[in-house]
């Protein structure tokens, strides 16, 4: 069902500092910060030859990554995103198999302008999983 790894997301309190690590220390191609108020994050995209890294910093009072950063003050891996061909078919299959889809269960438009869903970490080896319709 799942296809390519679209991105790995890393939450950080300081996206400028994390950008500098990826750009200057690791020598990667790094975008300018992109504020996404509707998602409660500032995003920086790191482009790698085979996938992307998303650096996320909280934006606003009700950021979805605020709690994660409380528990992980130095930052850390927040989620992985896998591509699927049909997000509704994927959702229905996962629900049928007993997986917990976070929120209303309706896909939302994600950071790349495509429909996404999040799956609860308890069902996926402790990792928050994002599905994106490719
Ligand atoms: Co993501």
């Amino acid at each position: 069902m799942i296809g390519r790894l679209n991105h790995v997301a890393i939450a950080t309190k300081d996206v400028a500092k994390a950008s500098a690590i990826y750009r200057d220390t690791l020598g990667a191609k790094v975008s300018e910060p992109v504020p996404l108020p509707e998602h409660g994050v500032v995003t920086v995209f790191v482009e790698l030859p085979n996938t992307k890294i998303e650096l996320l910093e909280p934006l606003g009072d009700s950021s979805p990554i605020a709690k994660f950063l409380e528990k992980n003050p130095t930052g850390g891996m927040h989620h992985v995103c896998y591509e699927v061909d049909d997000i509704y078919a994927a959702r229905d299959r996962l629900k049928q198999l007993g997986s917990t889809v976070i929120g209303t269960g309706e896909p939302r438009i994600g950071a790349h302008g495509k429909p996404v869903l999040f799956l609860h970490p308890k069902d996926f080896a402790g990792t928050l999983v994002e599905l994106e319709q490719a």
Side-chain angles (χ1 to χ4, degrees):
M1 183 182 79
I2 59 169
R4 291 159 49 94
L5 174 67
N6 185 278
H7 62 269
V8 174
I10 294 173
T12 173
K13 286 180 178 170
D14 187 344
V15 86
K17 193 173 162 190
S19 295
I21 291 166
Y22 272 84
R23 189 184 52 236
D24 304 333
T25 308
L26 295 174
K29 194 177 158 199
V30 173
S31 79
E32 290 300 310
V34 181
L36 297 171
E38 70 279 23
H39 291 284
V41 290
V42 176
T43 307
V44 166
F45 301 98
V46 180
E47 271 186 52
L48 303 180
N50 64 336
T51 190
K52 295 185 285 273
I53 306 295
E54 255 182 34
L55 305 174
L56 305 172
E57 181 186 292
L59 176 64
D61 296 334
S62 55
S63 174
I65 62 169
K67 206 180 266 178
F68 179 89
L69 285 170
E70 257 170 52
K71 283 189 222 154
N72 304 274
T74 59
M77 202 204 77
H78 185 258
H79 64 269
V80 292
C81 177
Y82 303 120
E83 296 180 359
V84 294
D85 289 331
D86 181 335
I87 201 154
Y88 290 99
R91 175 196 62 187
D92 293 347
R93 173 191 157 90
L94 289 163
K95 280 175 120 175
Q96 203 173 21
L97 294 172
S99 303
T100 304
V101 177
I102 292 174
T104 63
E106 283 309 305
R108 294 181 56 201
I109 297 302
H112 310 111
K114 296 186 173 161
V116 302
L117 280 176
F118 284 91
L119 308 172
H120 201 286
K122 71 182 166 65
D123 303 322
F124 296 94
T127 305
L128 177 63
V129 173
E130 179 179 19
L131 297 179
E132 180 175 297
Q133 186 163 291

